[in-house]
Amino acid sequence: MVNPFDEIAIEEALRIKEKVAGTEVVLVSIGPKTAQEQLRTGLAMGADRAVLVVSDAPVEPLAVARVLQKLIDGEKPDFVVMGKQAIDDDSNCAGQMLAELLGWPQATFASKVELGGDQKSAKVTREVDGGLETVNVPLPAVVTADLRLNEPRYASLPGIMKARKKELKEIAIADLGVDVVPKVKIVKLETPAKRTGGRKVADVNELVNVLHNEAKVI
């Protein structure tokens, strides 16, 4: 299964490709060889080629950003579109870290993306607490996709057949020469204390007394 946020990012890249002649959409994933399945899905949707950075060990967000930085240094894209967060650990920082490492502007939680007429800038509407914010960013830039950015297309049968012939390059993560050593260590996991059962009170006076003298919340 493709991360829904990443699937939306793929769709946005494909829509840009349909509007801008000569655009190439390159997919990247980091994970075990079985991640080829998700990349093939993106290729079937219409992406041109894919790169799988093979790693059997979990990769933290900072390591993800460093791997992507290395690939971007080689590919030199004009635009990077990513899902806003992971769906396994809900981390929401790889895109931001990548932008910092690259020294590129960023627009996170995008619900609308409009390229400038000269394709040298983008106007991005982002979802923030309390409403929407619109920002202009020069390209190249990093954009992370929110759920309302678009509705991803389904892979057609011809697209699935074509995907089999498209390039899917594999690179061992060790060959990139980047630091992927985990920086976070889980030192303890424990379940919350068991909640005690509730009880009924006779009237408001008793409720106030319990809240004041037992719960000590008032």
Side-chain angles (χ1 to χ4, degrees):
M1 173 183 175
V2 179
N3 177 337
F5 297 106
D6 290 337
E7 193 172 24
I8 290 168
I10 294 171
E11 174 63 28
E12 194 62 26
L14 294 175
R15 294 187 184 192
I16 292 172
K17 176 184 175 181
E18 291 165 354
K19 295 175 183 176
V20 182
T23 299
E24 182 186 37
V25 176
V26 183
L27 308 179
V28 176
S29 184
I30 305 169
K33 286 182 176 289
T34 52
Q36 285 187 14
E37 180 181 345
Q38 284 71 43
L39 289 173
R40 291 292 181 195
T41 297
L43 292 172
M45 289 171 66
D48 297 290
R49 56 189 175 90
V51 177
L52 173 60
V53 179
V54 181
S55 174
D56 293 321
V59 183
E60 291 180 351
L62 180 56
V64 169
R66 285 174 171 159
V67 168
L68 294 177
Q69 178 194 19
K70 188 75 172 182
L71 296 177
I72 288 168
D73 286 344
E75 293 283 349
K76 295 183 170 34
D78 297 311
F79 204 44
V80 173
V81 191
M82 304 169 57
K84 74 169 186 177
Q85 68 187 72
I87 56 172
D88 45 8
D89 59 7
D90 273 346
S91 291
N92 164 26
C93 51
Q96 294 89 326
M97 289 176 171
L98 175 61
E100 174 64 23
L101 291 173
L102 292 169
W104 289 7
Q106 59 180 284
T108 55
F109 318 132
S111 60
K112 185 177 182 181
V113 176
E114 299 175 272
L115 284 185
D118 57 1
Q119 283 108 51
K120 292 183 179 180
S121 66
K123 183 168 72 173
V124 181
T125 301
R126 31 189 322 267
E127 300 194 357
V128 297
D129 292 340
L132 300 174
E133 177 185 69
T134 301
V135 297
N136 283 304
V137 292
L139 300 183
V142 176
V143 170
T144 68
D146 212 336
L147 288 174
R148 279 161 286 279
L149 180 57
N150 59 52
E151 184 71 29
R153 69 194 68 187
Y154 289 103
S156 64
L157 181 57
I160 294 171
M161 298 301 291
K162 290 178 181 178
R164 297 178 180 177
K165 299 180 181 179
K166 292 181 179 179
E167 178 185 351
L168 199 167
K169 182 179 180 181
E170 290 187 6
I171 302 173
I173 196 167
D175 292 343
L176 292 176
V178 298
D179 180 11
V180 295
V181 176
K183 301 296 186 291
V184 177
K185 181 180 180 180
I186 297 175
V187 296
K188 186 178 182 181
L189 283 174
E190 59 184 16
T191 57
K194 187 176 180 180
R195 297 180 62 180
T196 58
R199 78 173 193 261
K200 293 182 179 180
V201 295
D203 51 35
V204 174
N205 289 333
E206 184 181 353
L207 174 61
V208 173
N209 181 60
V210 169
L211 292 175
H212 181 72
N213 296 311
E214 296 182 26
K216 299 186 185 303
V217 295
I218 59 175

